[in-house]
Amino acid sequence: MICDQCGERPASVIVKQTQQGQLTERHLCHICAAGNQSINIAFEQDPMAIHQLLSNWFPAQQKTINPVRKEVAVCPTCGFTFTKFLELGKFGCASCYDTFEPHLVEIFKRLHNGNIEHNGKIPASYGNTLKIKKDIEELRKQMKTSVEGEDFEKAAKLRDEIRVLNTQLEGGVSNGD
Amino acid sequence: MAIDRFLRPKASSWMANDGENVDIAMSTRIRLARNLNDFQFPYAFSEDEALKVDKAISAVLLDKGRELDYNFTHIDIQETPTLEREVLVEKHLISPYLAKGQHSGSVLLSNNEELSIMVNEEDHLRIQSLQSGFHLQEAYQVAHQLDSLLEKHLSYAFHEKFGYLTSCPTNTGTGMRASVMLHLPALTMSHQINRIIPAISRLGMVVRGSYGEGSEALGNVYQISNQLTLGKSEYEILQDLQNMTEQIIQQERRAREAILNNSPVVLEDRIYRSLGTLTHSRLLTTEEAATCLSDVRLGIDLKMIKDMDMSILNELMIFMQPAFLQQYSNKPLQPKERDFARARLFRERLNRESLNDEGEDFV
Ligand SMILES: [Zn+2]
Ligand SMILES: [Zn+2]
């Protein structure tokens, strides 16, 4: 095969590019390929053209099927619609995550090998609150089991513990420490 | 100008070439993506908000950075001339995206260039920590410490279920991208790399050559990085990447031995021809320079070439790029003139000749 650019030398490099959502493949000789791009090691490319993947998973016609749902999916903070999110492949703000949450499980599953929940670092300022919430969740489960086992004394004790934690949450927790 | 020190053709410490396995694993990079809670993300924010975000983040870094012994230099992107931005890109200190300067944004650089914090890239904050050699844990610690310091003074966009909220759903969760740059000439020569790349991607990691996915790598340099940011902790992600990289390094060593045993003279010939090209050419294209650098680097690793300093090769990989050459020559250069300037740069650096006295000028 001959180089697409100079038409002189044999093509030795396949350069794949996405331009306006269109994947193009160019066969270039080593000289044109080198001239085309600097030696930068794909410094911050998306691992894949994200908006392309998203539009494949959510074809355009789907968006008009349910007008109610479409109306709901407008971010109140930045004004991004779900359609815009799909087109760009990017969120406009933090509230987008809440607005589009019903769709996100599906998206994250595919992007992150089936994972849908964060399991890593938590900012210190969220650390305490998050820990209390998780504790409450745990205590609620235990209380349910106690009630089912008719151990009402234990259930009452657990209920009091939950109450204490809830007041802590409402009263705000000292950050960080 | 404060920026000048970062534009000089002088190696950053992350190019220094020391540490374990440095013959194959050239450098390590950790990037953390973060956003502030009270502002829209860069794809939606107004210029006014962009300016406020930049001011807020820069102020914290310039003031509180000292707690961690960093004396950051603040560089406003829009005030920086295009060529100088490109030099910073070629040095890996900023991304091409930030260099476009679409909104108010900046980069804050530590003196040794191991830490680079980009403001208003695709996310409000991109903390980047660079290390020479194979040092995932160390590079992460540096980024993590700075992140924790910033978080005391800024309110991050964080979600109980989704973790750190980023512009792109491929970064949501830890917001962390960890990568190691690997020099894999023997795996490339023996075509084994074509089997390795698909296998790695099935494990939630990606390998990229310098032309992007699925194509030949310039100078046999590949970058391996994590693709998943959700579901696994930072520790698990780093551990997986560590194990995978160690396996690739072992395979590269085995492939080198095999080539050395099977065709020592062919290999030696190739390495010395490349050395000759780098030290005596008058015209050098990027591609030829990268290929020859790879061969000479291999020659040093295999102890065939003994009197050459590897860190000079690392420098040359960076300084042979278009913007650097123009910076170095002090004028804009056409592609052909660049090939001439590149050849001259290599002769100067590798032969320790001073060509400046010859009165010779570029074509
Ligand atoms: Zn060509
Ligand atoms: Zn939004």
Side-chain angles (χ1 to χ4, degrees):
Chain A
M1 189 171 291
I2 296 291
C3 171
D4 289 341
Q5 189 164 314
C6 64
E8 282 175 18
R9 290 171 288 264
S12 57
V13 179
I14 301 172
V15 180
K16 289 180 183 167
Q17 281 177 311
T18 21
Q19 284 173 325
Q20 284 123 35
Q22 202 68 359
L23 183 76
T24 57
E25 232 188 66
R26 309 207 325 141
H27 296 254
L28 301 179
C29 69
H30 64 287
I31 294 184
C32 293
N36 248 6
Q37 258 155 313
S38 72
I39 194 174
N40 260 305
I41 314 298
F43 188 53
E44 196 56 354
Q45 274 175 351
D46 268 339
M48 37 199 155
I50 171 80
H51 57 275
Q52 234 183 319
L53 285 178
L54 293 177
S55 348
N56 286 340
W57 299 338
F58 297 86
Q61 60 268 27
Q62 258 188 23
K63 290 167 225 151
T64 47
I65 290 173
N66 189 341
V68 179
R69 192 166 179 180
K70 193 185 170 193
E71 205 176 294
V72 171
V74 175
C75 176
T77 310
C78 72
F80 268 35
T81 58
F82 188 61
T83 315
K84 176 142 191 199
F85 163 70
L86 291 181
E87 275 167 14
L88 279 176
K90 316 283 175 185
F91 295 106
C93 72
S95 322
C96 286
Y97 279 86
D98 293 320
T99 313
F100 308 138
E101 187 165 353
H103 302 291
L104 293 183
V105 169
E106 183 68 6
I107 289 171
F108 286 143
K109 260 190 192 166
R110 301 209 198 187
L111 286 176
H112 298 282
N113 272 8
N115 296 315
I116 52 167
E117 275 193 41
H118 177 58
N119 202 12
K121 183 174 177 179
I122 295 169
S125 55
Y126 287 81
N128 277 334
T129 327
L130 208 56
K131 190 174 174 300
I132 294 173
K133 281 187 183 166
K134 290 226 160 114
D135 286 350
I136 292 175
E137 228 172 86
E138 182 54 36
L139 291 173
R140 283 221 171 97
K141 271 186 218 154
Q142 286 181 25
M143 193 168 81
K144 198 170 164 252
T145 328
S146 308
V147 172
E148 280 163 2
E150 301 191 357
D151 185 351
F152 298 111
E153 205 176 315
K154 193 175 176 203
K157 238 172 108 187
L158 288 166
R159 188 199 53 212
D160 291 344
E161 280 181 45
I162 292 172
R163 230 176 245 162
V164 173
L165 290 179
N166 267 326
T167 2
Q168 276 187 29
L169 269 188
E170 280 156 22
V173 191
S174 65
N175 284 353
D177 315 304
Chain B
M1 277 267 287
I3 188 177
D4 287 346
R5 59 174 301 169
F6 300 104
L7 301 174
R8 269 179 249 143
K10 198 181 142 286
S12 319
S13 70
W14 66 268
M15 299 174 211
N17 198 70
D18 46 51
E20 230 180 305
N21 284 319
V22 74
D23 52 334
I24 295 173
M26 303 162 71
S27 62
T28 306
R29 183 172 69 104
I30 299 284
R31 182 268 276 150
L32 300 177
R34 303 287 187 251
N35 285 287
L36 306 189
N37 218 354
D38 308 322
F39 297 92
Q40 299 186 8
F41 295 174
Y43 283 94
F45 65 9
S46 64
E47 196 46 38
D48 183 48
E49 276 186 299
L51 206 64
K52 280 184 188 152
V53 169
D54 192 0
K55 282 204 175 130
I57 294 175
S58 300
V60 174
L61 282 165
L62 292 172
D63 182 28
K64 308 290 177 189
R66 299 205 186 94
E67 283 177 27
L68 294 176
D69 264 340
Y70 291 115
N71 202 350
F72 287 111
T73 302
H74 176 267
I75 298 166
D76 182 292
I77 288 300
Q78 289 180 334
E79 281 173 12
T80 304
T82 317
L83 182 66
E84 296 184 2
R85 291 184 207 175
E86 281 168 24
V87 168
L88 295 178
V89 171
E90 289 177 357
K91 254 180 137 177
H92 294 197
L93 296 176
I94 65 172
S95 66
Y97 185 90
L98 186 72
K100 279 193 215 143
Q102 285 171 320
H103 355 260
S104 296
S106 56
V107 59
L108 292 110
L109 297 172
S110 68
N111 287 346
N112 59 8
E113 304 180 21
E114 286 181 357
L115 250 182
S116 140
I117 294 107
M118 289 181 263
V119 181
N120 292 342
E121 211 252 15
E122 186 179 287
D123 295 295
H124 293 148
L125 252 173
R126 289 263 169 123
I127 300 169
Q128 179 183 263
S129 154
L130 286 155
Q131 296 256 319
S132 160
F134 184 28
H135 293 290
L136 282 167
Q137 297 297 341
E138 291 87 339
Y140 176 69
Q141 279 314 314
V142 172
H144 163 73
Q145 271 192 1
L146 187 79
D147 178 49
S148 300
L149 175 78
L150 281 167
E151 188 240 313
K152 281 193 211 159
H153 305 279
L154 300 163
S155 163
Y156 279 166
F158 184 84
H159 192 282
E160 286 176 18
K161 195 164 141 200
F162 300 134
Y164 292 96
L165 303 182
T166 52
S167 288
C168 189
T170 55
N171 294 321
T172 307
T174 59
M176 181 177 81
R177 192 81 60 209
S179 46
V180 184
M181 210 143 70
L182 298 170
H183 180 229
L184 306 174
L187 288 176
T188 312
M189 270 184 239
S190 58
H191 303 293
Q192 292 180 66
I193 195 76
N194 299 328
R195 281 192 303 107
I196 293 173
I197 290 175
I200 290 172
S201 59
R202 279 195 293 275
L203 297 168
M205 283 165 258
V206 259
V207 189
R208 265 168 261 162
S210 53
Y211 287 126
E213 241 172 306
S215 49
E216 198 178 300
L218 193 59
N220 302 319
V221 175
Y222 298 83
Q223 181 184 269
I224 172 167
S225 50
N226 65 304
Q227 191 163 23
L228 302 185
T229 53
L230 203 58
K232 285 195 208 170
S233 68
E234 288 81 358
Y235 178 79
E236 290 170 306
I237 294 170
L238 293 174
Q239 207 57 47
D240 286 353
L241 192 59
Q242 176 93 23
N243 291 339
M244 178 55 72
T245 308
E246 279 168 5
Q247 282 185 48
I248 297 175
I249 290 174
Q250 272 180 25
Q251 295 203 34
E252 168 67 19
R253 288 205 197 290
R254 249 178 258 143
R256 286 182 184 188
E257 256 171 58
I259 294 174
L260 203 53
N261 289 335
N262 293 336
S263 32
V265 181
V266 176
L267 187 64
E268 204 176 338
D269 179 65
R270 175 172 165 164
I271 287 168
Y272 278 99
R273 273 172 191 274
S274 290
L275 181 62
T277 304
L278 292 187
T279 47
H280 291 88
S281 291
R282 263 46 186 177
L283 292 171
L284 258 181
T285 62
T286 308
E287 151 76 27
E288 192 177 15
T291 307
C292 294
L293 270 175
S294 171
D295 289 341
V296 171
R297 197 184 169 89
L298 181 63
I300 296 175
D301 289 345
L302 296 177
K303 314 252 179 318
M304 286 183 185
I305 299 172
K306 291 200 175 76
D307 52 352
M308 191 165 278
D309 184 356
M310 187 77 91
S311 59
I312 294 180
L313 300 191
N314 289 353
E315 272 178 50
L316 286 169
M317 259 186 75
I318 304 290
F319 304 143
M320 64 183 253
Q321 299 174 89
F324 247 111
L325 287 176
Q326 298 182 64
Q327 178 83 8
Y328 174 77
S329 313
N330 248 323
K331 63 179 183 187
L333 299 172
Q334 296 305 307
K336 278 232 174 69
E337 297 174 316
R338 280 181 217 157
D339 292 349
F340 185 81
R342 189 176 295 113
R344 181 193 170 101
L345 169 75
F346 275 82
R347 297 204 309 280
E348 262 189 26
R349 286 291 165 116
L350 295 176
N351 305 332
R352 294 183 192 88
E353 297 173 28
S354 173
L355 300 179
N356 285 325
D357 304 332
E358 291 175 15
E360 178 187 359
D361 206 347
F362 300 128
V363 186

